[in-house]
Amino acid sequence: MLGIEIHIPEMDFEGQYLAEILQYVILGVSGNPYFQLIGFIYGYLCESFQQTFHVVAVGSMLASMVVIPPWPLYRKNPLPFHKVRKTPSAAVPSSGKSKSVKSSKKKN
């Protein structure tokens, strides 16, 4: 598109695992409900569900900013790729006809 090429680095498998763990810890699914509990208490004290929502939304945005971008932290273990092998021209199959078919046509 318009001759512009953007290269976005990708996470490796270990980085994906680390990002998943961090997401669970930040959002509180793994038994540490930091933002949900703080948001509930703050909203209860202010008597406003809107304040609860704001605190939980900030926690979700924080988790997204930590987990979604491919930070260098997530790219420490890249997978090695195989080098391209050149195949010899003799290994390329011929037209596909077998010798037995050719010899049977000559007899008739």
Side-chain angles (χ1 to χ4, degrees), residues 81-101:
F81 288 98
H82 294 288
K83 294 181 180 179
V84 177
R85 290 188 288 177
K86 294 182 179 179
T87 58
S89 59
V92 178
S94 61
S95 63
K97 295 181 181 178
S98 64
K99 293 180 182 179
S100 62
V101 174

Side-chain angles (χ1 to χ4, degrees), residues 19-85:
E20 182 181 5
I21 296 300
L22 285 173
Q23 174 189 359
Y24 287 145
V25 169
I26 292 171
L27 290 177
V29 176
S30 64
N32 302 315
Y34 298 119
F35 284 101
Q36 289 84 357
L37 185 62
I38 292 169
F40 177 75
I41 292 171
Y42 183 68
Y44 183 77
L45 293 175
C46 293
E47 297 179 358
S48 172
F49 180 74
Q50 184 178 13
Q51 299 302 322
T52 301
F53 176 76
H54 284 268
V55 172
V56 173
V58 166
S60 298
M61 284 192 245
L62 176 67
S64 297
M65 290 303 297
V66 169
V67 174
I68 291 177
W71 301 109
L73 171 72
Y74 303 131
R75 294 183 275 138
K76 289 184 178 179
N77 304 310
L79 292 175
F81 288 98
H82 294 288
K83 294 181 180 179
V84 177
R85 290 188 288 177

